Amino acid sequence: MIKTLRFWIMFLVSFATIGILSITLFSGYYVTKENLINNSLEINRVYSMKLSRLTEEVFNGMQSNLQIKATEIIAHIDDVDKLTEKLADLISSSKNFNSLSIVNKDGVVLATSPEVGIIGMKLDTEGPKEALHERKNLISAPYKAATGRLLILISTPLWNEKNEYLGFLSGTIYLQEDNIIHDILDEHYSTDGSYVWVVDNKGMLTYHPDPKRIGDSVSENEVTQKVLAHGSGTQKVMNSEGNEFLAGYTYIKSSKWGVVSQTPYKVSIEPLRGMVYKMLLYALPFVLFFFVLTIILTERLSSPLRKLATFSANLKVNGGQSEFLDIPTWYFEAKQLNETIHEYANSQQQRVEDYKERSYTDPLTGLKNRRYGDEVTARWTMDKRPFSVIMIDIDDFKSVNDKFGHQIGDEVLKFLAEKMNDIIRGDDVCIRMGGEEFVILLAETDVQKAMVIAERLRVNVSSTISPTNDKVTISLGVGSYHSNRETIIELFIRVDKALYQAKMAGRNRAVQSGI
């Protein structure tokens, strides 16, 4: 059975509606999923960064406490009782160290607080040996102490008034026991299974919610490898148990550690199902309304053709005789209208392209104008593409116009434009900013190469007879864009100052920007 036009319109609209709804839900699902993942990654990155800063502040504070106490320790270096008393005062006031000790230049322990049975012993473990060798403020890598504990050593050297090395004052943090690091990192802000862990510069866990894991090597972990390379950022990772996590990580310069905050992947995307359900629920009323509207419009669109088909059928049944019906049809008109609109659209598009090109071009010199330059610099900065700027001004151009007239002045501008076009490369852009002011944007070019190009242009212009039948000179300011320190406006202000310096220094010269 041959289907009617009404059927095919309804079929097409239904198919399109279901397709659009499916695409919308599908794209909404993945966009929402991506947003949830990115949001979780960003939250963990910020959280790890904050914890890193807090940890670094704590380490700096601990170093400061030791440095302040070092002066008092030096004054009583030969009095064991006094040294013990000073250490007891420091450990009770600081609350950051698990223990404190004073070690002489031979590595022998003079005093400790609390007493851990190592007074008089010569320490031969990694932390003390490093402190004796370096003789500077340092935070050691985790190591096994003489007491068998896994700890880190924070030390400051002791020097007397004669600048003689006496040893060092140190504080320790027991990594597998209660300590200041546990206090900072132990309780994650979220209770959804997220947690924090810390590695040292060798990939060893210095903190983990499971104390048994502290001291384990996780150097094969992707995040650990990035932290070991002094990186900070976000990463989707698999933990040792095979579970996926979304992690943010930050490198701590002072201790050379890395702090990692991570959230279970499943937890991060848990809201997806509810969001998709709500999207479908909110879309249904509009879909139903659209279907009702489609039925009404379909009837109106198909009615003329159905009447024409009925009229044709009656003609056949009646042997060509039938009452004439005035039935409006739109096939011919639609065809003509489509062709006309298509031709018109093409012509309009060509006009738009022509207008656009003219809007980007300086009519006198044929160079690009300021508007085009703004778009190029915006695009290059967005793409993080390095570039340099040469700002050019014709020396005493007013006198050229006054002496030879504006027509010759225009020819001088064209003359400079030709010289600029002669020196540029593929992606470089020559721009007339207005009047006698010009700019060259040099892609992928540092300031040294830009100076060479600027000097080449200056010499070329000054050594060539201009339309005035005499030589003209130009002054140039040169600078490179520093994306991490300035805006485009600040760059042009800086290069304009260099141009001004070239003018003030006697003209006919190129001056590099101060930064």
Side-chain angles (χ1 to χ4, degrees):
M1 181 179 178
I2 299 176
K3 304 297 184 182
T4 64
L5 178 62
R6 182 174 180 273
F7 170 84
W8 287 115
I9 293 177
M10 286 297 301
F11 175 81
L12 179 61
V13 171
S14 300
F15 180 80
T17 302
I18 294 173
I20 292 172
L21 182 61
S22 300
I23 292 171
T24 301
L25 292 176
F26 184 80
S27 59
Y29 173 87
Y30 278 96
V31 169
T32 304
K33 181 180 179 181
E34 185 177 353
N35 287 338
L36 289 172
I37 291 173
N38 291 337
N39 184 57
S40 182
L41 287 170
E42 181 63 14
I43 289 173
N44 279 296
R45 184 192 70 81
V46 172
Y47 190 60
S48 70
M49 181 179 66
K50 289 183 178 180
L51 290 179
S52 299
R53 289 177 179 175
L54 180 58
T55 304
E56 192 161 28
E57 289 174 4
V58 170
F59 278 133
N60 291 337
M62 296 164 81
Q63 287 279 16
S64 298
N65 288 339
L66 292 177
Q67 289 175 333
I68 293 171
K69 209 68 178 178
T71 305
E72 300 179 24
I73 296 298
I74 294 170
H76 303 284
I77 194 67
D78 296 322
D79 189 339
V80 175
D81 292 336
K82 276 288 187 183
L83 295 179
T84 303
E85 180 183 338
K86 295 294 183 183
L87 292 183
D89 290 342
L90 178 56
I91 201 167
S92 63
S93 62
S94 173
K95 303 296 183 183
N96 290 334
F97 299 105
N98 290 108
S99 67
L100 293 166
S101 59
I102 301 171
V103 180
N104 69 15
K105 64 181 180 179
D106 297 318
V108 177
V109 180
L110 302 180
T112 64
S113 181
E115 172 58 47
V116 290
I118 60 172
I119 295 177
M121 290 178 57
K122 183 174 182 179
L123 301 179
D124 195 33
T125 48
E126 295 178 13
K129 288 171 66 176
E130 184 181 4
L132 291 170
H133 178 264
E134 295 293 334
R135 298 186 178 185
K136 64 180 183 180
N137 295 327
L138 61 82
I139 301 173
S140 74
Y143 68 96
K144 285 281 187 179
T147 59
R149 291 184 171 98
L150 181 66
L151 53 81
I152 60 171
L153 186 78
I154 302 171
S155 64
T156 188
L158 301 174
W159 302 87
N160 63 15
E161 295 178 352
K162 298 179 181 180
N163 204 28
E164 295 173 335
Y165 181 66
L166 305 179
F168 63 85
L169 168 63
S170 67
T172 57
I173 297 177
Y174 302 155
L175 295 178
Q176 294 173 315
E177 302 177 23
D178 289 338
N179 57 58
I180 185 63
I181 299 175
H182 284 229
D183 295 340
I184 295 172
L185 306 176
D186 194 36
E187 186 173 351
H188 199 280
Y189 77 96
S190 179
T191 56
D192 57 6
S194 301
Y195 63 91
V196 174
W197 50 278
V198 182
V199 292
D200 69 359
N201 61 344
K202 295 181 180 178
M204 179 190 295
L205 284 172
T206 57
Y207 170 78
H208 194 277
D210 181 3
K212 297 178 182 178
R213 296 289 309 280
I214 297 176
D216 291 351
S217 175
V218 290
S219 57
E220 298 301 319
N221 186 286
E222 292 183 43
V223 171
T224 302
Q225 292 176 2
K226 291 186 177 181
V227 169
L228 293 178
H230 301 180
S232 298
T234 58
Q235 175 80 38
K236 184 179 179 181
V237 294
M238 190 86 69
N239 74 351
S240 58
E241 298 176 353
N243 298 319
E244 286 186 310
F245 282 81
L246 299 175
Y249 54 93
T250 303
Y251 176 72
I252 307 176
K253 292 182 180 179
S254 60
S255 60
K256 300 179 181 178
W257 289 4
V259 177
V260 183
S261 173
Q262 59 187 36
T263 300
Y265 177 78
K266 291 182 179 179
V267 171
S268 298
I269 64 172
E270 183 65 28
L272 261 181
R273 183 177 299 176
M275 290 182 179
V276 173
Y277 174 76
K278 286 184 178 180
M279 289 172 63
L280 181 59
L281 190 64
Y282 292 150
L284 277 177
F286 296 97
V287 172
L288 293 175
F289 171 77
F290 186 70
F291 266 113
V292 172
L293 184 61
T294 300
I295 293 172
I296 296 172
L297 293 177
T298 300
E299 178 62 27
R300 293 194 175 186
L301 287 171
S302 61
S303 177
L305 186 58
R306 185 171 65 251
K307 290 179 180 179
L308 183 60
T310 303
F311 176 73
S312 300
N314 290 335
L315 284 177
K316 183 177 180 181
V317 171
N318 297 327
Q321 299 294 323
S322 181
E323 183 181 355
F324 178 78
L325 297 175
D326 185 14
I327 302 174
T329 57
W330 41 265
Y331 294 100
F332 176 80
E333 289 76 9
K335 177 177 177 295
Q336 293 302 313
L337 184 61
N338 179 64
E339 291 177 355
T340 302
I341 291 176
H342 185 71
E343 292 173 359
Y344 179 75
N346 286 339
S347 64
Q348 288 298 103
Q349 181 65 31
Q350 187 60 47
R351 287 184 183 180
V352 169
E353 293 297 327
D354 292 341
Y355 289 149
K356 187 175 181 181
E357 179 63 25
R358 286 199 293 270
S359 71
Y360 284 153
T361 304
D362 174 54
L364 176 63
T365 62
L367 301 181
K368 298 300 182 182
N369 59 18
R370 180 191 294 267
R371 179 184 176 190
Y372 185 81
D374 292 342
E375 293 190 10
V376 170
T377 54
R379 184 169 67 252
W380 286 359
T381 53
M382 182 179 298
D383 295 340
K384 301 186 183 304
R385 189 177 188 186
F387 64 93
S388 293
V389 173
I390 301 175
M391 194 171 286
I392 308 158
D393 193 89
I394 301 175
D395 296 330
D396 296 320
F397 183 71
K398 185 177 182 301
S399 64
V400 172
N401 281 329
D402 293 341
K403 184 176 180 181
F404 299 99
H406 287 281
Q407 185 173 357
I408 296 299
D410 289 346
E411 293 302 317
V412 171
L413 295 176
K414 294 178 184 178
F415 163 78
L416 176 57
E418 291 176 359
K419 295 298 181 183
M420 292 168 62
N421 281 323
D422 288 342
I423 66 165
I424 63 171
R425 303 151 305 172
D427 289 341
D428 299 340
V429 181
C430 293
I431 298 167
R432 182 187 179 198
M433 301 295 285
E436 71 272 24
E437 296 178 357
F438 295 81
V439 165
I440 301 177
L441 301 177
L442 301 171
E444 308 288 343
T445 306
D446 58 28
V447 70
Q448 288 79 19
K449 291 181 180 178
M451 279 295 293
V452 172
I453 295 172
E455 188 62 23
R456 188 188 309 154
L457 175 61
R458 184 193 66 80
V459 171
N460 194 352
V461 171
S462 63
S463 61
T464 305
I465 298 299
S466 75
T468 64
N469 290 322
D470 199 356
K471 295 178 181 179
V472 295
T473 62
I474 55 174
S475 297
L476 308 94
V478 184
S480 289
Y481 177 57
H482 303 290
S483 59
N484 58 339
R485 283 183 282 172
E486 63 183 355
T487 64
I488 293 297
I489 294 175
E490 291 170 342
L491 166 67
F492 274 83
I493 291 174
R494 176 163 58 85
V495 176
D496 188 58
K497 289 181 179 179
L499 174 60
Y500 179 77
Q501 291 174 9
K503 290 283 190 181
M504 292 299 99
R507 299 183 176 86
N508 192 23
R509 66 192 63 221
V511 173
Q512 180 179 327
S513 171
I515 296 181

